[in-house]
Amino acid sequence: MNLKDKVVLVTGSGSGIGRKTSLVCAEYGATVIALDINEEAAKLTEKMIIDADGTAMAAKADITDRVQVHTVIEDVIARFKKIDVLVNNAGSTRLGTMVDLEDSTYDFIINLNMKGPFIMSTEVAKVMIPRRSGRIINITSYCAVRGEFANAPYCMAKAGIKMMTQVQALELGQYGISAVAIAPGDTNTELLQDAFRKRAELEGKTIEEVYAAAGKKVPLGRVGEPEDIAELAAFMCSEKSQFVNGSHILATGGYVMA
């Protein structure tokens, strides 16, 4: 797969699926903008790419702050002249049943997982439209199509991003910009490990029991690994996938099927 000459901006690139997607895209020749609210983590991703003879730029921004996002995009355009692909990957959750959830927790989850990708997409689209070319990849979750206990705001936000992808395809297609969503199943990242620890506490189980139960639900017999999603995202960055537009692609090992 050839991503040479593509500039790919990945949010949440300091860990998990975001970092692996950044590394894989760089391996295929892309110039990667590694954006994360954790500047040290973003710089480590940048270093890993450069040490492997790739090209990368670390950037820090809170994706829920339009001013910060706009500033980062201006910096990218000043240095690289364009953004070919945006990967909206940044996200997180805090588990808790709806009746026990604080409003501040709800606001945090919705803002990060839905408002953030909306801001990123609209700001990047503004620089893609004049070039009449671009690709937006939104990382959702199987939670976008199946509810999950003690995770309501996250499920709601990811379902919203699934629908945002369809609207992006409708509104931006006239400018040669396509959009696609990737819905991972349980993937062995820091976020999943933290969520499983909390779920173990809520359910009175060990974390090993939670992992085993999650793996048994998947026809392939395991939870996903970051590279499972990263390789799919890299393919979606390529010209070979451009006619896939507005779709929500499940990557769950068969746990959730269309």
Side-chain angles (χ1 to χ4, degrees):
M1 190 151 44
N2 184 6
L3 299 182
K4 187 179 179 182
D5 299 327
K6 287 194 177 292
V7 177
V8 179
L9 193 163
V10 183
T11 70
S13 62
S15 62
I17 291 171
R19 171 170 284 167
K20 193 63 179 180
T21 298
S22 299
L23 296 173
V24 169
C25 287
E27 287 173 7
Y28 289 127
T31 294
V32 174
I33 314 303
L35 188 150
D36 203 284
I37 195 169
N38 183 330
E39 188 173 18
E40 289 185 4
K43 286 183 175 180
L44 178 56
T45 300
E46 175 191 50
K47 182 178 185 301
M48 292 168 73
I49 291 171
I50 292 172
D51 286 350
D53 296 324
T55 304
M57 167 185 161
K60 177 186 178 181
D62 176 352
I63 64 169
T64 69
D65 185 322
R66 191 176 290 273
V67 173
Q68 290 186 38
V69 169
H70 183 74
T71 298
V72 166
I73 291 172
E74 283 189 325
D75 290 344
V76 173
I77 297 301
R79 181 170 173 183
F80 298 109
K81 311 303 180 188
K82 63 175 183 171
I83 298 172
D84 295 295
V85 182
L86 166 65
V87 182
N88 274 317
N89 166 77
S92 186
T93 191
R94 294 174 181 173
L95 297 180
T97 57
M98 288 188 288
V99 296
D100 295 323
L101 206 65
E102 298 288 340
D103 287 346
S104 59
T105 301
Y106 173 90
D107 290 342
F108 167 78
I109 296 169
I110 293 294
N111 284 340
L112 177 58
N113 292 284
M114 188 155 63
K115 181 181 178 182
F118 177 80
I119 289 174
M120 287 297 310
S121 296
T122 52
E123 289 299 311
V124 170
K126 290 173 186 176
V127 301
M128 289 179 170
I129 286 171
R131 298 184 66 249
R132 304 191 70 82
S133 176
R135 178 70 140 170
I136 298 172
I137 301 170
N138 298 311
I139 305 299
T140 61
S141 166
Y142 71 87
C143 294
V145 296
R146 175 180 290 183
E148 186 173 61
F149 181 83
N151 208 10
Y154 185 78
C155 296
M156 294 159 64
K158 292 301 187 180
I161 296 302
K162 175 179 179 288
M163 185 53 65
M164 183 182 78
T165 304
Q166 294 183 18
V167 178
Q168 287 171 339
L170 291 170
E171 292 187 354
L172 299 176
Q174 62 185 309
Y175 304 110
I177 301 166
S178 59
V180 66
I182 297 173
D186 286 332
T187 306
N188 192 24
T189 63
E190 295 91 335
L191 177 63
L192 184 77
Q193 292 159 12
D194 184 54
F196 275 10
R197 278 192 293 270
K198 292 177 181 176
R199 189 168 296 283
E201 292 174 8
L202 283 170
E203 298 178 358
K205 298 177 180 178
T206 66
I207 192 169
E208 290 78 14
E209 288 173 331
V210 174
Y211 262 99
K216 286 179 181 178
K217 295 176 183 177
V218 181
L220 290 179
R222 64 174 177 88
V223 300
E225 295 295 335
E227 53 264 35
D228 294 322
I229 310 304
E231 290 287 349
L232 176 57
F235 176 68
M236 288 297 148
C237 291
S238 75
E239 295 299 325
K240 295 181 183 296
S241 69
Q242 290 306 299
F243 203 63
V244 182
N245 192 21
S247 298
H248 189 242
I249 302 169
L250 292 164
T252 70
Y255 172 52
V256 177
M257 304 184 198

